[in-house]
Amino acid sequence: MQFRSGDFSDAKRVLKIRQLKVGLCDNPEAEKVLKGIDLDIRSGESHCLVGESGSGKSVTSLAIMGLLPPGALEIQGGLIQVGDTEITTASQSQMRKLRARRISMIFQEPMTALNPVLRVGDQIEEVLRMHTDLSSSEVTERTLQIMRDVHLPDVERMHGAFPHQLSGGQRQRIMIAMALVLDPDLLIADEPTTALDVTTQKQILKLISEMQERHGTAVLFITHDMGVVAEIADTVSVMREGTIVEKAPIRTLLTEPEKDYTRKLLAAVPNLKPREARADKGRDPVLRIDRLGMTYGGGGFFRKSEGVRAADAVSFTIAPGRTLGIVGESGSGKSTVARCIMRLIDPTDGSINVAGTEIAHLSRRKLQPWRRHFQIVFQDPYRSLNPRWTVGRSLCEGPVNFGTPRAQAMTRAAELMEIVGLPRDALDRYPHQFSGGQRQRIAIARAVAMEPDVLVADEAVSALDVSVQAQVLDLLDEIQDRFGIAVLFITHDLRVAAQICDDVLVMQNGKIVEHGPAARVLGHPDHDYTRSLIDAAPGRAWDFANFRPHDAAATT
Amino acid sequence: MLSYILKRVLATVPVMIIVAVFVFLLLRLTPGDPAAILAGDAATPAQLERIRDRLGLNDPLHIQFFTWVFQMLKGDLGTSLISNTDVGGMIVSRLGPTINIALMTIVISVALAVPMGVIAAWRHRTWVDFAVMSFSVLGFSIPVFVIGYIFIQIFAIELRWFPVQGYTAPSAGLWDFFSQAILPSLTLATIYVALIARMTRASMLEVLGEDYIRTARAKGVRENVVLFRHALRNAAVPILTIIGTGFALLISGVVVTESVFNIPGIGRLTVDAILARDYPVIQAMILLTAGIYVLVNLIIDVSYSFFDPRIRY
């Protein structure tokens, strides 16, 4: 694997942080959020800050920008120098002049980071108007030029577009254009590709590197994704609980990590090499999907519109105790298939057979008794549990609806808590008292409480840190062994798919392009699209858990 | 967009029909003989017969309904039972003062309340926020007539800046209109300022937590630009809704204020008509009020898309 690892010891120092402490405003005695971190970034260097959620990565970046949430967090010691300017003591108006000119920032969610009611061209131009004395025509000229530089197509037209008219990748390009239009010394990129598809991610990472080389910009890159780190970093700082536990050039860090925590973090990165498929017990499929189709839209009051074919002739089966993964990028139709199977939306055609019953076109009322046979776990554990209900109430609701006495449902819920590795008293608590990983365990317990035949997991581990991800995947495996549930696992993450699936189905534009055993599809793909997905997976040539490159045979 | 407006206008037709049926039945389904209700207790049989004949009460119900609707569509709203004058004319002459005062009230309210709400949200949980919120509670709780009398006491009697009561049409003298309209408008505005400031603050608080506000600050944008260019437009939809509803309420008449300041507006016309059981006037007022609400709602809905390009119909 090719690493960047340039040597920057002679380059100009762009950012110097010494003993930076950040804490809660109203409680200076409380444990600090940042406990004195040191950081140096030099011109042209790409410095990655990695760590799990809550480790203080984003707080570090906001502190550098002077954008810590007022009234909540404040700098309580140490210094931050951008070039020669000390900014911990700078006034708001001094900070404002630094932003975009000397330091700029791009964020995780291109969907929400752009103002939805302003044209994207105006949003870029605003930076120039705020910070320069250029004439109106020069401003437009510079804006169109930077839009071309970040490889946006048809820039004259796109200049007048609103954010919702652009794709996620295009929006992130707009963000990058906005951040780099004044040629700053330091670019802070806070998880800039986490919300993007792998192929888009690859393009954006390439763009950031390209812009960095062209302008000699220093980049502070914040991510939780070790694959991305391997692709983009010169130097890596590993953060944990407000401290930097280890700092090293990328190759050194990946091959000879010094700290146990770093080793643990690397070991948790799921391997792209598919696991051995479990033995097929030859049982009859419990879920049969035949030529399932879903067309959105169509109709219309004054004229008929085409409608979008989100799923087209999708057929597959899953046997009890087996896991089928559907992988594909956003818009491929994988979530549409999941929602059709759950009958959260009504498929336009095709059949869905669960445990011997055809449910695709049952009326809501006739469907109701069959609902318990198929259950779903959603992506975002923060929003899928009712925040005003205790965990126990959420867990019992389903079984009680189907006639189980409440006391019995409660006893069962307590057993399930133990199965998913949570204390029994968790039943009396509310969702906000749990971490993301714990909530996802609760969501799984809730689904399993219904004793379903089929469990649909829609991006169920995508919002979790890798170490937590591994635990939740183990839990799913264990539950499947124990109850013999068939699992349909929807994911965009090939690493996760490789770890949990027996069979894999690749979707593109609503159609199945490849379907087969995981080892075959991910190891020796037939279809170009599958191959392009695997190629785009960041850090795919590196075997993180074993601190060495994959051997050539295993990766292609 | 045009097809949306057309659709919405068509959708108002059934609403207006339902209102019309209700208004029509209001008189006919009241227990007892409508003619007797109209004529009062001391009427002679001959008088009753004349009223029945004049209102067409001897025709079958559906004939009566269509005759009435047809008259309405022609613009003939009937004749007042009390003053014996044309109802349409009465309403038009009273509508002017009400609309002018309503417009002035809304302009004053928006001009004061929106900046107040924005600044309260921006300085969330500081004394500024606290002051704005306290004013809001106060504005809600003090009865309108009390505020009216306080204003009269201070500005008309003590300071002698404005006259105590009365109304002059703007066409008859802009200054006279303004000096007489300012106190009633301010009186009405207190409650709307309270309402709109609260709504602006709540909506802004939500928007100020959005990612794109952080982006704007990260761009080095000045704080006033962040607030008014980036945030306020995104916060506009609920604020517009409340402004529109407030305006409709103002037009359908504000009795207390009109009474305190002796303004010949719609509100007093309605109350007088109700007290005198002047059914043709009541009927016309209900239809007018329903029409105004439907129209204002249409304007609000269409204006959403002006503020938020994602809303397209």
Side-chain angles (χ1 to χ4, degrees):
Chain A
M1 170 148 193
Q2 205 64 38
F3 292 116
R4 283 172 53 107
S5 27
D7 179 19
F8 297 94
S9 44
D10 298 334
K12 187 169 77 100
R13 182 153 60 194
V14 174
L15 178 74
K16 175 180 170 186
I17 297 181
R18 287 293 175 272
Q19 284 305 306
L20 178 66
K21 294 185 182 71
V22 171
L24 302 174
C25 290
D26 47 4
N27 191 356
E29 303 305 314
E31 199 181 358
K32 301 263 183 286
V33 179
L34 292 183
K35 298 166 189 162
I37 63 166
D38 297 339
L39 202 62
D40 288 280
I41 304 178
R42 292 173 186 274
S43 195
E45 182 184 359
S46 187
H47 194 117
C48 269
L49 214 50
V50 294
E52 300 189 89
S53 44
S55 59
K57 317 185 289 284
S58 289
V59 172
T60 308
S61 68
L62 292 176
I64 299 168
M65 290 296 287
L67 288 175
L68 289 172
L73 291 175
E74 64 184 4
I75 293 175
Q76 290 170 339
L79 64 87
I80 304 174
Q81 274 179 12
V82 176
D84 302 324
T85 321
E86 156 66 26
I87 63 171
T88 48
T89 52
S91 71
Q92 273 301 319
S93 76
Q94 285 171 315
M95 276 315 292
R96 203 152 48 229
K97 291 196 183 104
L98 280 177
R99 291 179 200 143
R101 248 195 290 198
R102 304 279 298 281
I103 35 176
S104 60
M105 185 160 181
I106 54 179
F107 300 95
Q108 171 168 5
E109 277 285 349
M111 301 291 169
T112 56
L114 289 169
N115 192 323
V117 304
L118 300 177
R119 295 175 194 279
V120 294
D122 292 343
Q123 297 192 48
I124 301 176
E125 288 189 2
E126 188 177 36
V127 179
L128 295 165
R129 288 186 210 283
M130 275 293 159
H131 295 283
T132 67
D133 300 322
L134 296 177
S135 72
S136 201
S137 61
E138 285 169 323
V139 164
T140 311
E141 189 44 49
R142 277 278 286 279
T143 302
L144 292 175
Q145 187 53 47
I146 192 83
M147 286 172 78
R148 272 182 223 113
D149 289 351
V150 297
H151 309 298
L152 282 162
D154 197 3
V155 292
E156 276 82 8
R157 209 171 52 84
M158 200 160 273
H159 184 276
F162 288 102
H164 70 275
Q165 294 166 326
L166 310 183
S167 69
Q170 287 171 334
R171 289 184 223 198
Q172 201 58 297
R173 283 174 196 271
I174 294 282
M175 281 299 294
I176 292 170
M178 207 154 75
L180 296 182
V181 67
L182 287 176
D183 202 358
D185 303 330
L186 173 66
L187 173 69
I188 302 174
D190 189 352
E191 305 263 9
T193 59
T194 308
L196 303 173
D197 284 322
V198 272
T199 48
T200 317
Q201 166 170 285
K202 189 178 176 187
Q203 292 161 8
I204 295 290
L205 291 179
K206 196 169 141 237
L207 175 66
I208 292 174
S209 295
E210 182 195 323
M211 299 301 279
Q212 181 176 25
E213 265 157 42
R214 196 189 295 179
H215 301 281
T217 321
V219 175
L220 176 62
F221 199 103
I222 294 167
T223 182
H224 69 280
D225 186 335
M226 280 295 176
V228 171
V229 174
E231 295 284 340
I232 197 157
D234 294 302
T235 325
V236 185
S237 291
V238 180
M239 282 195 80
R240 183 192 192 190
E241 290 167 5
T243 55
I244 290 179
V245 292
E246 181 164 6
K247 177 163 20 184
I250 177 68
R251 178 177 288 279
T252 317
L253 188 98
L254 291 183
T255 48
E256 303 152 45
E258 272 180 19
K259 295 291 187 316
D260 283 346
Y261 180 70
T262 312
R263 301 184 83 87
K264 212 185 97 206
L265 211 56
L266 288 170
V269 177
N271 204 319
L272 250 180
K273 207 172 144 190
R275 72 167 186 194
E276 290 297 312
R278 289 167 295 189
D280 190 343
K281 297 201 183 89
R283 293 175 64 181
D284 278 344
V286 65
L287 178 70
R288 291 173 192 273
I289 306 298
D290 192 33
R291 302 197 61 76
L292 182 73
M294 178 67 206
T295 307
Y296 285 109
F301 191 75
F302 284 106
R303 54 177 179 272
K304 278 264 178 281
S305 58
E306 259 303 279
V308 180
R309 192 76 176 148
D312 190 21
V314 173
S315 307
F316 59 83
T317 61
I318 315 178
R322 304 281 290 177
T323 299
L324 171 71
I326 302 187
V327 299
E329 300 190 282
S330 50
S332 63
K334 53 191 197 304
S335 280
T336 299
V337 170
R339 284 183 201 141
C340 282
I341 293 170
M342 291 308 297
R343 283 290 308 270
L344 295 174
I345 52 177
D346 299 331
T348 30
D349 44 69
S351 88
I352 301 166
N353 190 308
V354 179
T357 312
E358 172 59 43
I359 61 152
H361 303 289
L362 284 184
S363 69
R364 299 272 135 187
R365 208 166 52 81
K366 288 209 177 112
L367 179 67
Q368 206 272 341
W370 298 104
R371 285 249 186 235
R372 68 178 313 158
H373 293 283
F374 45 97
Q375 290 294 314
I376 189 164
V377 176
F378 292 102
Q379 172 170 6
D380 190 342
Y382 290 89
R383 293 189 304 181
S384 51
L385 291 166
N386 188 334
R388 306 238 187 281
W389 281 16
T390 61
V391 169
R393 189 168 170 204
S394 284
L395 250 63
C396 289
E397 191 195 21
V400 168
N401 270 347
F402 284 93
T404 313
R406 182 164 293 276
Q408 194 184 326
M410 220 43 178
T411 318
R412 177 75 185 138
E415 285 166 24
L416 281 168
M417 281 293 102
E418 261 169 36
I419 293 174
V420 299
L422 290 173
R424 266 168 186 265
D425 66 358
L427 289 177
D428 301 324
R429 290 192 262 158
Y430 289 89
H432 70 267
Q433 293 166 296
F434 297 92
S435 69
Q438 289 172 326
R439 286 185 217 207
Q440 206 59 311
R441 287 166 186 272
I442 295 168
I444 291 170
R446 192 216 54 78
V448 173
M450 301 291 286
E451 296 169 15
D453 297 308
V454 178
L455 181 68
V456 177
D458 190 358
E459 299 278 8
V461 297
S462 304
L464 306 174
D465 282 323
V466 277
S467 58
V468 183
Q469 209 173 49
Q471 294 162 11
V472 173
L473 289 177
D474 283 346
L475 172 68
L476 273 175
D477 249 6
E478 190 191 318
I479 288 210
Q480 190 173 31
D481 274 352
R482 195 159 171 162
F483 300 105
I485 302 174
V487 175
L488 179 65
F489 198 93
I490 315 277
T491 182
H492 69 280
D493 189 335
L494 294 175
R495 290 178 185 277
V496 170
Q499 289 318 297
I500 191 154
C501 299
D502 302 303
D503 298 290
V504 169
L505 187 159
V506 184
M507 282 188 75
Q508 183 190 22
N509 301 329
K511 292 194 175 66
I512 296 178
V513 297
E514 195 159 359
H515 182 188
R520 213 268 301 146
V521 174
L522 299 177
H524 309 279
D526 284 337
H527 199 278
D528 285 344
Y529 179 66
T530 315
R531 216 166 290 136
S532 75
L533 280 184
I534 294 172
D535 279 349
R540 68 188 183 91
W542 193 260
D543 185 352
F544 291 93
N546 296 307
F547 315 109
R548 58 179 162 87
H550 279 301
D551 55 82
T555 51
T556 46
Chain B
M1 188 67 193
L2 228 89
S3 82
Y4 171 72
I5 296 176
L6 191 69
K7 245 194 286 187
R8 284 298 309 264
V9 171
L10 287 178
T12 63
V13 172
V15 176
M16 290 311 290
I17 291 179
I18 293 169
V19 174
V21 171
F22 169 75
V23 166
F24 173 76
L25 293 177
L26 181 72
L27 184 59
R28 272 72 183 178
L29 292 187
T30 320
D33 182 357
I37 299 173
L38 295 179
D41 299 334
T44 62
Q47 279 175 315
L48 285 180
E49 192 49 42
R50 217 174 55 237
I51 290 174
R52 278 199 200 98
D53 196 47
R54 202 176 88 197
L55 294 177
L57 291 177
N58 295 323
D59 297 331
L61 205 60
H62 62 278
I63 302 283
Q64 287 183 39
F65 180 69
F66 285 113
T67 319
W68 179 72
V69 168
F70 190 65
Q71 276 179 351
M72 289 279 166
L73 290 177
K74 275 199 311 190
D76 176 8
L77 299 179
T79 309
S80 163
L81 298 173
I82 308 298
S83 65
N84 234 341
T85 48
D86 174 44
V87 173
M90 285 171 75
I91 289 180
V92 169
S93 71
R94 297 295 195 96
L95 209 50
T98 298
I99 288 186
N100 285 330
I101 301 258
L103 279 175
M104 204 155 148
T105 305
I106 283 295
V107 170
I108 292 173
S109 307
V110 172
L112 289 176
V114 170
M116 274 167 68
V118 168
I119 289 167
W122 181 48
R123 287 281 169 250
H124 185 40
R125 289 190 188 142
T126 62
W127 68 268
V128 185
D129 185 20
F130 182 72
V132 170
M133 290 313 282
S134 310
F135 174 82
S136 281
V137 174
L138 219 64
F140 272 130
S141 351
I142 304 179
V144 179
F145 71 92
V146 174
I147 295 172
Y149 286 131
I150 291 174
F151 280 173
I152 288 177
Q153 180 68 33
I154 297 175
F155 296 107
I157 296 172
E158 302 280 337
L159 296 170
R160 297 181 175 278
W161 289 356
F162 309 109
V164 176
Q165 285 185 327
Y167 177 81
T168 311
S171 52
L174 212 55
W175 172 247
D176 284 344
F177 161 74
F178 181 77
S179 66
Q180 288 185 319
I182 186 80
L183 286 186
S185 300
L186 276 178
T187 306
L188 284 170
T190 35
I191 198 158
Y192 288 99
V193 169
L195 202 64
I196 297 170
R198 265 190 105 99
M199 185 53 87
T200 307
R201 174 181 174 273
S203 186
M204 283 290 288
L205 275 180
E206 200 170 303
V207 169
L208 285 177
E210 295 285 344
D211 287 355
Y212 50 80
I213 299 300
R214 187 182 54 184
T215 307
R217 292 199 171 120
K219 276 154 76 173
V221 171
R222 276 194 305 274
E223 209 51 26
N224 58 338
V225 181
V226 171
L227 291 176
F228 288 93
R229 179 177 145 99
H230 285 271
L232 188 56
R233 257 187 84 173
N234 279 288
V237 166
I239 304 173
L240 277 177
T241 312
I242 205 136
I243 292 173
T245 324
F247 187 66
L249 276 171
L250 283 170
I251 291 202
S252 49
V254 275
V255 185
V256 177
T257 315
E258 287 178 6
S259 305
V260 169
F261 290 95
N262 194 21
I263 297 161
I266 288 285
R268 280 170 66 202
L269 178 67
T270 314
V271 171
D272 292 345
I274 291 170
L275 292 176
R277 296 194 188 173
D278 193 348
Y279 279 86
V281 177
I282 298 174
Q283 286 179 324
M285 282 312 306
I286 297 174
L287 277 178
L288 179 74
T289 311
I292 287 170
Y293 270 84
V294 165
L295 184 72
V296 167
N297 272 311
L298 177 65
I299 294 172
I300 296 171
D301 284 358
V302 172
S303 69
Y304 288 162
S305 66
F306 173 75
F307 284 91
D308 191 338
R310 286 166 301 178
I311 301 176
R312 282 283 177 267
Y313 305 105

